[in-house]
């Protein structure tokens, strides 16, 4: 008996010893569960002598600033890893290589700012990836392309402001993406391209001012969408087009109006959450056969005759509508369903003044009286929004709650914004000053707004800004100065805005752009100058904005392509020159941006001639080319444009003779809608270039069918196959390449791309 006990003890000691030998001293190892825990140890590196068989590794609360390439190669059996609160700033390319069995990776509460294309390579079995509470500002398309088994991606509480096209491509089994608590303002139309399996999308607590209809319409399989806590004020007709949508959350926004046909394109909608908005009335949402639940609590609903149609419809369609009347006084606090139609009266029924109280008095609930809020404005402690729209204010009110995040002051008459107009509002991210008859911004006007991201000054009378106007709001990313009175941009206006991302100057009277106009705007990506009077741009006008991606110069008075001004813009991808009086485009006009340009707008310019070398350098990266409404009769060779998704050639008077044969043959191979018609000769005028038989007598016509290149064949094939088949193809490609190399990866991206393109065509 004793011996056996001693033996047991001995063996326990022995195992303990072996484990200890193979366990990093500072950690705790459990050899049975194959688990290693090194919590809160100030480790600056992942310990090297972790047992090879370890399956669960818990490294929470350390100081691992950089996860270097190959770190986990010695422990290939890991299935679960926790790396929260490790002060991680960067993940080197290949950091997770070798972790082909990992299913759970938690990187929450670190300081990661960028996800690079290869940061997550190697995680081929990963199912859950938690990146919550980092400082991610940007995700490159392709970053998730390795994660074909991921079902849950958590990107909540980061600093994302926009999502580019195809950013989630490769997530073929994804079920839920959480993007809540970011600063998203813009979603590219194809941001959710390729996410056919996604069931749930969380976009709540962002800065969306408008519904991203186009982007959302790509989510044909998504059943649950959360858009709550975004500053959207209005939902128009057919605003959401999602074939499988069942639950829609639009709570805690700033909604003042919802169209009665807002959701008709989402026919399966079952639950609609509209609580805590500013709706005083809602129309019946007829045509919605599956709708069963609407929550309107927390809205200033006036149960007058205007709500009768809604009540009758809800009763008839057996919809559970949660509505508490905020007025008139006689029914305040009552549930709509408990009222009789005769209780719901309007002014004409002679009940007196109190029937239609102003929004301000209606929204003020007893508890909210405690919140300080300038007179005449409404401040919502839940959404941290303050609203003083159309209050006939002559000066900017003071005394908003210090945690206000969105301040809406549209449609007042301020004339000027004096120094320190917004004292103490350090958490303000969005400031609306549109339509306020503002002519002058004083120095230091926004000085306390350290966290301001969006500043809307559209539709005012501002004709100049001095640099010191923007002293303070150094985080400003979106500045709207469109529809004002600028004749020029005075030099150094924007030098204090190093983080500006988008500058809106469209519809002013700017006549030229000179050197240094954009000095300081080193991070500017989007510049809008549509609808000015620009006749001239100096060669260095844009020189400071080296990261520029979008340049809109349409509706100006340019007589030639400003080629010299395009130098030094290596990432320019969209150039709009529509509606400028450019008659002729010479050789090499787009050469400086030929490597990056993807979208080129040359429509409606009265263009008479395009030189044969005008498009030199442009080619496979061009995705859209707009040439409609011009006067040219033919086009230069377009054979290098192999990746077009959109080409528009309507309203161009093509001369349909043998000289146009190369274009005709090119069009034959293109499976895109083009709209090219013949302008001459007279007998074929108005007929489609693709259909006229006139070319059949031209020399060289016969080689047409045999000369198809393999790439166009592949493209046509991808276009034809059903979406299911395409997914399978995509799946095969990704399995085949899973032991990737860089070049194979980029090939994959290209193939994916053409597959997606096939779908759209
Ligand atoms: C980690 O560092 C902190 C602060 O320097 C210190 O208080 C703490 O004791 C350290 N923890 C360990 C396990 O060394
Ligand atoms: C976010 O991360 C920081 C450390 O980077 C941590 O102190 C904080 O508690 C985290 N917040 C949440 C909500 O998890
Ligand atoms: C501002 O926001 C931060 C972070 O959300 C919060 O901790 C702080 O209390 C807010 N400030 C005010 C004055 O509400």
């Amino acid at each position: 008996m004793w011996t056996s006990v001693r033996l047991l003890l001995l063996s326990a000691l022995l195992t303990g010893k072996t484990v200890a030998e193979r366990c990093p001293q500072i950690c705790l190892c459990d050899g049975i569960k194959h688990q290693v825990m090194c919590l809160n140890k100030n480790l600056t590196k992942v310990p090297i002598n972790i047992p090879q068989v370890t399956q669960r590794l818990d490294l929470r609360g350390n100081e691992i600033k950089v996860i270097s390439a190959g770190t986990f190669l010695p422990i290939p059996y890991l299935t679960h890893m926790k790396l929260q609160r490790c002060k991680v700033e960067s993940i080197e390319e290949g950091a997770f290589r070798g972790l082909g069995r990992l299913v759970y990776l938690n990187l929450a509460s670190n300081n990661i700012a960028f996800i690079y294309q290869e940061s997550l390579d190697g995680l081929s079995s990963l199912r859950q990836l938690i990146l919550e509470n980092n400082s991610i500002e940007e995700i490159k398309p392709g970053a998730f392309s390795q994660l074909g088994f991921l079902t849950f991606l958590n990107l909540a509480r980061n600093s994302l402001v926009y999502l580019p096209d195809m950013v989630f491509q490769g997530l073929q089994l994804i079920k839920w993406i959480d993007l809540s608590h970011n600063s998203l303002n813009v979603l590219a139309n194809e941001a959710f391209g390729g996410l056919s399996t996604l069931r749930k999308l969380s976009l709540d607590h962002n800065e969306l001012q408008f519904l991203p209809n186009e982007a959302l319409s790509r989510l044909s399989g998504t059943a649950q969408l959360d858009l709550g806590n975004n500053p959207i004020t209005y939902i128009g007709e057919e605003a959401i087009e999602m074939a499988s949508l069942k639950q829609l959350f639009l709570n805690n926004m700033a909604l003042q109006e919802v169209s009665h046909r807002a959701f008709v394109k989402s026919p399966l909608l079952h639950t609609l959450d509209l609580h805590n908005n500013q709706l005083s009335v809602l129309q019946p949402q007829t045509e919605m056969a599956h709708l069963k639940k609407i929550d309107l609590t927390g809205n200033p609903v006036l149960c007058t005759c205007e709500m009768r149609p809604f009540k009758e419809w809800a009763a008839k369609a057996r919809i559970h509508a949660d509505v508490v009347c905020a007025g008139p006084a006689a029914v305040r606090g009552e549930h709509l369903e408990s009222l009789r139609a005769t209780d719901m009266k309007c002014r004409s029924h002679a009940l007196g003044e109190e029937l239609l109280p102003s929004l301000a008095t209606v929204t003020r609930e007893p508890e909210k009286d405690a919140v300080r809020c300038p007179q005449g404005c409404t401040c919502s402690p839940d959404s941290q929004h303050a609203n003083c729209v159309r209050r006939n204010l002559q000066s900017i009110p003071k005394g908003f709650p210090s945690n206000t995040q969105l301040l809406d002051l549209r449609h007042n008459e301020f004339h000027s914004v004096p120094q320190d107009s917004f004292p103490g509002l350090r958490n303000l991210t969005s400031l609306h000053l549109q339509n306020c008859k503002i002519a002058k911004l004083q120095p230091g006007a926004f000085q306390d707004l350290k966290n301001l991201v969006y500043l809307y000054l559209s539709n005012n009378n501002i004709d100049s800004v001095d640099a010191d106007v923007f002293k303070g709001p150094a985080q400003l990313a979106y500045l709207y100065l469109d529809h004002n009175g600028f004749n020029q941009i005075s030099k150094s206006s924007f030098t204090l805005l190093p983080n500006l991302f988008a500058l809106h100057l469209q519809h002013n009277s700017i006549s030229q752009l000179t050197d240094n106009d954009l000095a300081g705007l080193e991070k500017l990506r989007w510049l809008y100058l549509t609808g000015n009077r620009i006749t001239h741009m100096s060669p260095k006008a844009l020189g400071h904005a080296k990261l520029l991606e979008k340049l809109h110069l349409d509706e100006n008075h340019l007589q030639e392509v400003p080629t010299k001004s395009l130098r030094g813009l290596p990432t320019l991808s969209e150039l709009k020159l529509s509606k400028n009086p450019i008659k002729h485009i010479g050789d090499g006009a787009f050469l400086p941006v030929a490597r990056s340009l993807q979208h080129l707008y040359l429509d409606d310019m009265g263009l008479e001639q395009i030189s044969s070398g005008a498009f030199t350098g442009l080619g496979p990266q061009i995705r859209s080319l707009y040439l409609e409404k011009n006067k040219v009769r033919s086009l230069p060779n377009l054979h290098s444009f192999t990746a077009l998704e959109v080409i528009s050639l309507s309203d161009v008077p093509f001369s349909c003779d043998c000289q146009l044969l190369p274009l005709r043959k090119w069009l034959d191979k293109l499976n895109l809608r083009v709209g090219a018609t013949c302008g001459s000769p007279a007998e074929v005028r108005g007929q489609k270039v693709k259909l006229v038989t006139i070319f059949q007598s031209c020399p060289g016509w016969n080689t047409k069918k045999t000369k198809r290149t393999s790439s166009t064949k592949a493209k046509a094939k991808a276009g034809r196959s059903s979406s299911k088949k395409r997914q399978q193809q995509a799946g095969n490609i990704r399995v085949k390449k899973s032991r990737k190399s860089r070049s194979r990866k980029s090939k994959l991206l290209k193939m994916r791309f053409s597959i997606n393109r096939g779908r759209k065509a």
Side-chain angles (χ1 to χ4, degrees), residues 2 7 57 69 113 125 130 187 297 403-404 438 450 467 498 681 701 751:
W2 271 114
L7 261 176
L57 178 57
S125 303
I130 323 288
L187 310 182
T297 53
N403 62 356
T404 304
I438 296 168
K450 304 274 180 269
W701 167 257
M751 290 177 80

Side-chain angles (χ1 to χ4, degrees), residues 384 401-405 424 426-428 451:
Q384 290 158 353
S402 58
N403 62 356
T404 304
Q405 291 183 3
R426 297 213 173 79
N427 280 9
L428 199 67
N451 284 305

